[in-house]
Amino acid sequence: MANTATSIYTASPATDYIILDFNPATQLNTYSWTIEFWVADGSGYYMSNFNGSHGFYVAPADSNDIYLNNGGRGASLGPIGLSNPTPGWQHVAIVRNNEYAYAYLNGELKFFDKNARTTTAWGGGNVYLGRNGTDATGGRGHFDEIRFSTKARYG
């Protein structure tokens, strides 16, 4: 989606969501990775992946946290300062670099967590935009420049 004039929009309720053909459990390195995106006018649960348990979610509606399930130990990275709803375009980056997980908002480190586990139990499902997989809680927003990287791009 980079270098285009198009963004993805997901609307509430929870039945209006997009499933990306991307499964972090099989497509990202378990030791270091980055998930980043731009979001505008977002609310609720922006992005999640779930299949029996969460791998991660980004949710200003839920204590303004980014939640990671790292090998059976959940790590809440936040609050990071996203409003609900989010005014204007905001850049969100979630980074895992070996034992550490980081949350960035607009290039500024907001939160980090040291996690002794070296694997990431992603939940095994594809990535959802505009939905929380556990209870079908909706989210909405415009998304652009969604990037999944097998490297820790920040931190």
Side-chain angles (χ1 to χ4, degrees):
M1 291 197 38
N3 301 320
T4 69
T6 305
S7 60
I8 297 171
Y9 178 71
T10 61
S12 288
T15 54
D16 294 327
Y17 59 89
I18 296 168
I19 301 175
L20 301 180
D21 186 20
F22 183 83
N23 184 336
T26 58
Q27 293 172 272
L28 285 181
N29 178 324
T30 57
Y31 294 101
S32 60
W33 46 260
T34 302
I35 299 170
E36 62 184 311
F37 59 93
W38 287 88
V39 61
D41 305 319
S43 66
Y45 284 78
Y46 293 167
M47 182 183 287
S48 70
N49 98 307
F50 177 83
N51 188 17
S53 65
H54 267 111
F56 76 94
Y57 63 77
V58 179
D62 186 16
S63 303
N64 204 313
D65 279 354
I66 294 172
Y67 174 81
L68 300 174
N69 181 358
N70 292 323
R73 177 184 177 268
S76 289
L77 301 176
I80 64 166
L82 282 169
S83 340
N84 188 25
T86 302
W89 284 100
Q90 307 283 318
H91 182 260
V92 176
I94 312 162
V95 179
R96 167 111 187 203
N97 193 358
N98 294 315
E99 297 180 319
Y100 290 89
Y102 303 89
Y104 292 86
L105 179 63
N106 298 320
E108 182 181 341
L109 177 63
K110 293 293 187 176
F111 211 91
F112 73 93
D113 181 65
K114 182 176 185 208
N115 187 334
R117 302 198 186 261
T118 57
T119 60
T120 302
W122 283 103
N126 285 356
V127 173
Y128 290 81
L129 295 179
R131 182 172 186 243
N132 175 14
T134 57
D135 56 13
T137 304
R140 68 171 180 83
H142 294 271
F143 296 90
D144 205 350
E145 298 184 28
I146 300 164
R147 178 169 33 188
F148 302 90
S149 177
T150 58
K151 297 178 182 172
R153 300 181 59 81
Y154 312 96

